[in-house]
Amino acid sequence: MATCSRGVLESRGSNREVVDSIFRVGSLNVGTLTGKFLELVDGLKKRHVDAICVQEIMWKSAKTKESNKFKLWHSGVVTNMNGVGIMLRTQLRNNIVVVIRFNDRVMMIKLVVDVVVVNIVGAYAPHAGLGDKEKKILLRLFR
């Protein structure tokens, strides 16, 4: 998990002051999210995580799911295979500029945190068992 901390200039009337701001981001290969969604949400709340990228969720569809102050945007093409998602605290959902689901391996959410535009990219790129053609496609995708 990465913690981003920086000073933000906050305006209060004619006074200006620097306020510390922390935005915690993580990444986790869940193996499958079926039956684990609420358990994951509880862990994120306990660790004060604001956003997390999850890989190998194995859900088919491009939908959202919300529970216990977190919202998940996910992308999957085939049931029981691949799938990526990005979860955010629900209080951040109004800060979202765009959600882009490239395919079942890559997605991105662009949002505004304080006064900064943040791009969160979730990617799942296993190489075991792939042929040369698939590996080249993945390499092009991440360039």
Side-chain angles (χ1 to χ4, degrees):
M1 178 174 49
T3 302
C4 303
S5 180
R6 59 180 188 72
V8 176
L9 195 61
E10 189 173 273
S11 180
R12 290 193 178 135
S14 60
N15 298 335
R16 290 183 164 211
E17 62 183 78
V18 174
V19 178
D20 282 334
S21 177
I22 295 176
F23 185 75
R24 295 174 191 230
V25 181
S27 179
L28 182 65
N29 187 323
V30 293
T32 180
L33 206 49
T34 304
K36 297 181 183 178
F37 184 73
L38 294 177
E39 181 182 341
L40 177 60
V41 168
D42 289 342
L44 299 176
K45 286 169 49 179
K46 183 189 288 186
R47 290 168 180 82
H48 307 287
V49 175
D50 297 301
I52 188 163
C53 300
V54 287
Q55 300 83 35
E56 211 173 357
I57 64 172
M58 300 195 185
W59 288 354
K60 179 182 178 178
S61 67
K63 296 184 180 178
T64 62
K65 182 173 181 160
E66 190 171 340
S67 181
N68 292 343
K69 300 183 181 178
F70 276 88
K71 187 167 183 175
L72 168 70
W73 287 261
H74 63 89
S75 179
V77 176
V78 179
T79 304
N80 296 327
M81 201 171 166
N82 304 332
V84 292
I86 299 175
M87 291 179 72
L88 298 175
R89 288 191 177 277
T90 52
Q91 67 193 40
L92 295 170
R93 71 177 162 210
N94 293 333
N95 299 27
I96 294 174
V97 176
V98 67
V99 176
I100 301 171
R101 294 172 173 98
F102 293 102
N103 54 37
D104 65 335
R105 293 181 182 258
V106 181
M107 69 177 294
M108 180 185 93
I109 291 182
K110 180 183 285 195
L111 69 151
V112 178
V113 179
D114 295 326
V115 294
V116 176
V117 176
V118 177
N119 293 309
I120 300 174
V121 178
Y124 175 60
H127 63 280
L130 294 180
D132 288 340
K133 181 179 177 182
E134 289 86 0
K135 288 179 185 178
K136 286 179 184 177
I137 291 170
L138 283 173
L139 285 173
R140 266 190 267 130
L141 186 63
F142 292 110
R143 285 189 188 161

